Each structure stands twice: as structure tokens, then as C-alpha cells.
Amino acid sequence: MKFHIVTLFPEMFSGILSSGVIGRGVGSGILDVSFYNIRDYAKDRHRTVDDAPYGGGAGMVMKVDPLADCIDAVKIVAPDATLLLTSPGGRPFSQLMASELASEGEMIILCGRYEGIDERVKELYSATEVSIGDYVMTGGEIAAMVMIDAVGRLVPGVLGSEDSAEDESFTHGLLEYPQYTRPPEFRGLKVPDTLLSGNHREIARWRRMKAIQKTRQLRPELIDTALLEPSERKMLLQSEGGQKL
Ligand code: ADE
């Protein structure tokens, strides 16, 4: 999987690329991340990459010309790669998007800065704007790292065991069930008996119920689209004293 990162701050990425699962993926060559510094494509002596917005207003806008030249340079090495642009006004990033991108093999992530980028960049390259949440950061580098992490871990061979991405939050439309490990009791808190029973059917049932209850509590909007058995919906209805789901 190749990530091409267009940014003003490539140094921000050193942590994620050298640590943990993603660091291992990079070390083994399964993940490949290259950087293109927009400032290298600035035209003037001061290497200017931003300017005041036409029409006035606060903040600066990333200039179209250095950005276009930088993207053109990336397109020479990655002509077919999907172009993503980080922006708080973009399409919400999701597990589904991550798995689609993981199957594509190559992507360009353009990290926005300042108040935004000149709109003509989006028109010229039909970039897909992606947001990692409803809040505004000072730039898109952290959003790009989120995408590298969420996409990179889904690339076969990056996670320790092939199936560890199978049974987790969002894969089945539900949040993940609670997990425990040794010791069986800590400061008076016991691991639920079912998990110690060795009865795999009961354990699977317990986990499913806990996942449904947790999702209902923390992310009720996900319950509507989750694939639940009629008996599971009935169980939820009962546990909520007849409240309609
Ligand atoms: N840049 C600034 N805030 C952002 C966000 N929430 N998502 C993606 N890019 C951003």
C-alpha cells in the first residue's frame, strides 16, 4: 500500500511511521509512505505558499500554483491514485471508507492548512474532501495520520494475525464488547463468570449482547442500521421497558 502525502510539515509524521503496528508495516515494506513538501514548489524568494483570500476575511488561503505543481509531480509517479483532501468540511471518514481505500493500493493525501485551499485545486483534480470529525484542527496532517493508521492496519500482513480486524468496533455495525485479561479479580472487580466458563457459545452470546447494549447506550443512531436478529431487538425492547427502538 502506497501513501503519497502532500504537506507543509512532513516531520510531523515521524512518530506514527516509526512506532507500533504501522511502524512495523513500514519496516517490512508492506506500507510505503512518501512525502512531497508543497514549499518546494513555491515560486518566489520567500517560498510563499499562502495568500489573503479574495473578498476579504480572516486567515490565509493555500495558493493554487505551488499546490498544483506539487500534485502534478505526485501524479507522475502515481497517475491512478485516489486524491484525498483533508478538510473539516469533507465527507466523514469511516471504517467503510478505510476498507475501500485499503483495497485500492495507492492514495494521495493532500493536507490542508490555514483557512483552506484555493477552490480551483479541488476542481482541477476532483479531489475527495475527507473530514475525521466535526471539529477544526490547525491543519490536515493529523487527519492524514488517522487515515494512514486506519487504512494501513487493514492491509493484509500489517496486523499480527489476519483476523484481528474481523471482530471489532464498526466491522459489524456495532461497538466492540468489553474485554478482560488476567487477573480474574482486581480491587474487588471480577471478570464476568461467563468469560471464565470455557463455554464458547455462551461467551459469543454474552459478547453479542454486551456489544448491542453498549451501542444502544453510546451510539444509539448505529442501532437502526445494525443487523440485529428479531430476538435481539426484542431483548433490547424489554431491557428498555418497552421504549420503541
Ligand atoms: N483539518 C482541520 N480540521 C480537520 C478535520 N476535522 N478533518 C480533516 N481535516 C481537517
Side-chain angles (χ1 to χ4, degrees):
M1 177 84 207
K2 281 189 173 206
F3 299 91
H4 301 271
I5 311 297
V6 175
T7 173
L8 283 168
F9 300 101
E11 67 278 5
M12 284 180 72
F13 292 78
S14 56
I16 183 175
L17 298 183
S18 59
S19 325
V21 169
I22 299 301
R24 265 206 327 264
V26 171
S28 68
I30 301 173
L31 304 178
D32 182 282
V33 187
S34 42
F35 294 95
Y36 306 82
N37 194 327
I38 304 158
R39 210 173 283 286
D40 293 341
Y41 296 85
K43 308 275 181 303
D44 62 335
R45 219 158 43 88
H46 303 291
R47 304 177 78 203
T48 309
V49 291
D50 60 328
D51 207 341
Y54 277 123
M60 301 290 269
V61 175
M62 289 175 89
K63 285 165 66 60
V64 64
D65 32 341
L67 265 176
D69 287 349
C70 186
I71 297 168
D72 288 344
V74 187
K75 289 249 171 207
I76 291 171
V77 292
D80 301 321
T82 305
L83 175 60
L84 305 173
L85 162 64
T86 60
S87 157
R91 189 194 299 177
F93 187 61
S94 64
Q95 188 65 27
L96 179 63
M97 207 187 283
S99 58
E100 282 169 4
L101 289 167
S103 66
E104 282 184 18
E106 192 161 33
M107 73 173 99
I108 305 168
I109 308 178
L110 167 52
C111 304
R113 276 268 148 188
Y114 307 109
E115 292 306 302
I117 72 167
D118 191 304
E119 191 67 20
R120 289 168 291 186
V121 173
K122 300 172 202 170
E123 288 173 35
L124 277 171
Y125 298 99
S126 16
T128 303
E129 288 182 78
V130 182
S131 164
I132 60 159
D134 290 341
Y135 41 80
V136 181
M137 299 183 292
T138 55
E141 282 74 12
I142 293 174
M145 286 183 235
V146 166
M147 290 186 233
I148 291 171
D149 193 291
V151 173
R153 65 188 287 283
L154 296 179
V155 176
V158 171
L159 284 180
S161 129
E162 280 297 320
D163 61 1
S164 30
E166 274 292 299
D167 193 17
E168 60 186 13
S169 293
F170 302 115
T171 308
H172 303 293
L174 293 171
L175 302 186
E176 205 181 356
Y177 48 79
Q179 295 275 25
Y180 298 84
T181 186
R182 280 180 283 192
E185 184 172 344
F186 182 70
R187 296 187 184 170
L189 297 176
K190 290 186 172 156
V191 173
D193 287 339
T194 309
L195 297 181
L196 307 175
S197 69
N199 183 332
H200 295 293
R201 246 167 68 120
E202 280 303 307
I203 292 172
R205 222 159 63 158
W206 182 90
R207 287 179 165 166
R208 176 91 182 152
M209 286 304 120
K210 287 290 172 187
I212 293 171
Q213 285 165 357
K214 186 175 171 188
T215 308
R216 182 69 179 108
Q217 200 178 8
L218 300 181
R219 299 288 305 276
E221 77 281 10
L222 294 179
I223 285 288
D224 297 336
T225 47
L227 289 173
L228 298 188
E229 299 288 333
S231 61
E232 292 172 336
R233 289 211 177 265
K234 200 167 149 203
M235 176 278 297
L236 264 180
L237 203 60
Q238 282 165 353
S239 72
E240 290 176 13
Q243 185 190 331
K244 190 179 178 302
L245 291 174

Short mmCIF file of all heavy atoms in Angstrom, two decimals, residues 86-88 112 130-140 143, ligand 1:
data_model
loop_
_atom_site.label_atom_id
_atom_site.label_comp_id
_atom_site.label_asym_id
_atom_site.label_seq_id
_atom_site.Cartn_x
_atom_site.Cartn_y
_atom_site.Cartn_z
N THR A 86 -7.74 16.61 3.02
CA THR A 86 -8.25 16.70 4.39
C THR A 86 -8.90 18.06 4.61
O THR A 86 -8.32 19.09 4.26
CB THR A 86 -7.12 16.52 5.42
OG1 THR A 86 -6.16 17.55 5.21
CG2 THR A 86 -6.45 15.17 5.28
N SER A 87 -10.10 18.04 5.17
CA SER A 87 -10.82 19.29 5.40
C SER A 87 -11.93 19.03 6.42
O SER A 87 -12.61 18.00 6.33
CB SER A 87 -11.43 19.76 4.08
OG SER A 87 -12.51 20.61 4.30
N PRO A 88 -12.14 19.96 7.38
CA PRO A 88 -13.24 19.75 8.32
C PRO A 88 -14.59 19.76 7.61
O PRO A 88 -15.59 19.30 8.16
CB PRO A 88 -13.10 20.92 9.31
CG PRO A 88 -12.20 21.91 8.66
CD PRO A 88 -11.38 21.19 7.64
N GLY A 112 -4.57 19.95 4.07
CA GLY A 112 -4.92 21.37 4.05
C GLY A 112 -4.34 22.10 5.26
O GLY A 112 -4.05 21.50 6.28
N VAL A 130 -12.17 14.91 2.79
CA VAL A 130 -12.46 13.98 3.88
C VAL A 130 -12.23 14.66 5.22
O VAL A 130 -11.20 15.31 5.43
CB VAL A 130 -11.55 12.73 3.78
CG1 VAL A 130 -11.90 11.74 4.90
CG2 VAL A 130 -11.70 12.05 2.42
N SER A 131 -13.21 14.49 6.12
CA SER A 131 -13.09 15.03 7.48
C SER A 131 -12.99 13.87 8.47
O SER A 131 -13.62 12.84 8.27
CB SER A 131 -14.35 15.85 7.81
OG SER A 131 -14.44 16.07 9.20
N ILE A 132 -12.19 14.05 9.52
CA ILE A 132 -12.13 12.98 10.54
C ILE A 132 -13.05 13.29 11.72
O ILE A 132 -13.08 12.53 12.69
CB ILE A 132 -10.69 12.72 11.04
CG1 ILE A 132 -10.06 13.96 11.67
CG2 ILE A 132 -9.84 12.16 9.91
CD1 ILE A 132 -8.91 13.62 12.60
N GLY A 133 -13.82 14.37 11.66
CA GLY A 133 -14.77 14.64 12.75
C GLY A 133 -15.21 16.10 12.72
O GLY A 133 -14.59 16.93 12.06
N ASP A 134 -16.26 16.38 13.47
CA ASP A 134 -16.83 17.72 13.46
C ASP A 134 -16.12 18.64 14.43
O ASP A 134 -16.68 19.04 15.47
CB ASP A 134 -18.33 17.65 13.78
CG ASP A 134 -19.11 17.02 12.64
OD1 ASP A 134 -18.57 16.98 11.51
OD2 ASP A 134 -20.24 16.57 12.87
N TYR A 135 -14.88 18.94 14.14
CA TYR A 135 -14.09 19.89 14.91
C TYR A 135 -13.01 20.41 13.97
O TYR A 135 -12.73 19.78 12.94
CB TYR A 135 -13.45 19.24 16.15
CG TYR A 135 -12.93 17.85 15.86
CD1 TYR A 135 -11.69 17.67 15.23
CD2 TYR A 135 -13.69 16.73 16.16
CE1 TYR A 135 -11.23 16.41 14.94
CE2 TYR A 135 -13.23 15.46 15.85
CZ TYR A 135 -12.00 15.31 15.25
OH TYR A 135 -11.55 14.05 14.94
N VAL A 136 -12.43 21.56 14.32
CA VAL A 136 -11.46 22.16 13.42
C VAL A 136 -10.07 22.08 14.04
O VAL A 136 -9.85 22.57 15.15
CB VAL A 136 -11.83 23.63 13.11
CG1 VAL A 136 -10.82 24.24 12.15
CG2 VAL A 136 -13.23 23.71 12.52
N MET A 137 -9.12 21.48 13.31
CA MET A 137 -7.72 21.44 13.76
C MET A 137 -6.94 22.50 12.98
O MET A 137 -7.46 23.12 12.06
CB MET A 137 -7.15 20.04 13.50
CG MET A 137 -7.90 18.98 14.27
SD MET A 137 -7.18 17.35 14.05
CE MET A 137 -7.54 17.05 12.34
N THR A 138 -5.69 22.67 13.35
CA THR A 138 -4.90 23.71 12.68
C THR A 138 -4.44 23.27 11.29
O THR A 138 -3.96 24.07 10.51
CB THR A 138 -3.66 24.08 13.52
OG1 THR A 138 -2.93 22.87 13.78
CG2 THR A 138 -4.06 24.72 14.83
N GLY A 139 -4.59 22.00 11.00
CA GLY A 139 -4.19 21.51 9.68
C GLY A 139 -4.59 20.07 9.52
O GLY A 139 -5.07 19.42 10.45
N GLY A 140 -4.36 19.55 8.31
CA GLY A 140 -4.84 18.20 7.99
C GLY A 140 -3.84 17.08 8.24
O GLY A 140 -4.14 15.92 7.97
N ALA A 143 -5.17 14.48 10.55
CA ALA A 143 -6.22 13.72 9.82
C ALA A 143 -5.57 12.70 8.88
O ALA A 143 -6.01 11.55 8.78
CB ALA A 143 -7.11 14.68 9.05
N1 ADE B 1 -8.32 19.91 9.01
C1 ADE B 1 -8.73 20.64 10.07
N2 ADE B 1 -9.69 20.02 10.76
C2 ADE B 1 -9.93 18.84 10.10
C3 ADE B 1 -10.82 17.76 10.32
N3 ADE B 1 -11.70 17.74 11.33
N4 ADE B 1 -10.78 16.72 9.45
C4 ADE B 1 -9.91 16.73 8.42
N5 ADE B 1 -9.05 17.73 8.17
C5 ADE B 1 -9.05 18.78 9.00
#
